[in-house]
Amino acid sequence: MTRPLTRAAGGRPAAPVRMLHLGLGGFFRAHQAWYTEHAPDASRWGIAAFTGRSTDLVARLAAQDGVYTLVTRGADGDAFEVVGSVSAVHGGGEDGAWLAYWRRPDLAVVTLTVTEAGYARDSGPAAMAPPATAPPATVTPAAGTAATAATVAGRLAAGLAARRRAGGGPVAIVSCDNLPGNGELTRRLVEEQAQAAGLRLADACYVTTMVDRITPYPAPEDTGLVAAATGRADAAPVVTEPYSEWVLCGDFPVGRPRWEDAGARFVTDAAPYEERKLWLLNGGHSLLAYAGSLRGHTTVAEAVADPACRGWLAQWWAEASRHLSFPEAELAAYRQAVLDRFANPRIRHTLAKIAEDGSRKLPVRILPVLRAERARGALPAGAVRVLAAWLLHQYEPAPVRDDAGPVREAAAGRVREAARTALAGLDPALADDTGLIDAIVAETRSLLP
C-alpha cells in the first residue's frame, strides 16, 4: 500500500515535497535523508522516495508515516534518533506517481542511490563507460503516462519529458553513488535515452557528488533493539556508522536544503575527493572482500584485525596514495579514519556483500592506480593482489560463499588464460600485459590456502 504521509519526526507535519528520490534503501535514509533532516530549513524540503523494486519497505514505512529510527553504531555504543524528512513513499512500479511529481512546479531536486550496476543494466563490466546505445526507455511520448524503463536513465528521461510537457522549470539531478564523474555520466545516459525514445526534456543541472557512510543490511534483531532502547515500535530502522561525508559539485537552479549546515561540502571539483574515497575506502573494501575471505574471514572487522590483511591494506594504500592530490598529512589522517571505521566490531559489513559486482567496481576502484603504476614502470603488488584474489573468486569455487569450500590450486596454464580473459573483461588493453598476467598468476598461488 502507498499513501501520502502526514506526520514527520517529533510529530511535526510532513514537509511539502520538493525533492524526489530513487532508491529507498538504508544508505539513502542514513545519508541524504539524514542531511536533509539536519538542515535548518528541513521543514521546507520534504522528500518523495521510490524503491527500485520491492514494495515491502514501502508498506512498513507508510504504516509509520515515513518516520524511522537511525541507529548510529559506534565502537562504544549506539545512539538513536528519529528521522522524518521522507514525506511520501512509493513502490518502484508506481509510474503514474513518478511522473506526477515531475510535473509539480515546485520540484527542485532529484537524488539517486542506485549503485554502480543500476545505471546501465546489461552494459558490460565497466559501469563507468556504458555503451552509447543503451536500451531505450519504454515510454509513450504522446501520452506521457509510462515511466517504466530498462535503466534508471530511462526513468529520468521519462520524468524530464513529462516535466517539459507540463511547462515545468529546471531541476537539479544529484547522483549519489561510487562512480567517478557521476553527474556527467548521468547526463550522458539520460540524453542518449531521450534521443533513442524521441523525447524532448526539461532543463536539468547534473550534480556530481562523493558520498560516504557505511550502512550494513539491517539485522532481524534491530527492531527489538530500537524498541527496547527508545520505547517506540519501528519496523524499518536503519543502522549506520558515526562517520559521514558528502561532497557536491554543481548547480541547483531553483534551490536546495542547506545541507552545508549539516556538514556537507560544496566544491568546484569533486574528482580529488572521489578518487580518495574510491581508491582508499572502496578499494580497501574490495581487497578485504576477496583476499580476506580466502583467509576465512566473513566481515570487514574480522579481516582488518588479521595482521596479514592489515599489511596488505597498508601496501595498497601506499600505492594509491602516490596518485592522490592531497597533502600527505591529510592522507595519513584519512587512512587512519578509514582503518578505525573498518575495525569497528559493531558494524557487521559482510565481505560477501562487498564482493558482489566486482567486474563493475574494480574498474573504478583499482584500475586507475594500476594504470598509473604501470605507466611509471612499476608492478604494484597491492593492485595485483586484489586482481588475483578476485580472479580466484571468479573462476574457482567462490571463497566468500557459505556453501563453497576452500579454493585449491589450478593448473598454471588454466589460471593464466583465466587471468587474460578476466583482464580483457575489465580493460582490453590489460589483456596483453604479460608482466601483469605473470604477477597475477604467481599471486594466486600465494593466496591459496
Side-chain angles (χ1 to χ4, degrees), residues 252-275:
F252 292 80
V254 286
R256 57 168 176 79
R258 287 171 52 188
W259 288 320
E260 64 270 37
D261 291 351
R265 182 183 306 178
F266 290 82
V267 300
T268 57
D269 183 8
Y273 300 92
E274 293 174 339
E275 292 170 347

Side-chain angles (χ1 to χ4, degrees), residues 25 40 86 103 113 123 158 163 168 180 187 228 250 295 301 322-323 329 339-340 345 362 365 370 408 422:
V86 177
R103 297 187 187 102
T113 50
S123 64
R163 187 168 184 82
R187 181 199 63 76
R295 294 178 61 82
R322 278 196 287 269
H323 306 284
L339 194 61
D340 293 341
L362 296 185
R365 297 181 178 191
L370 173 65
R408 301 301 177 191

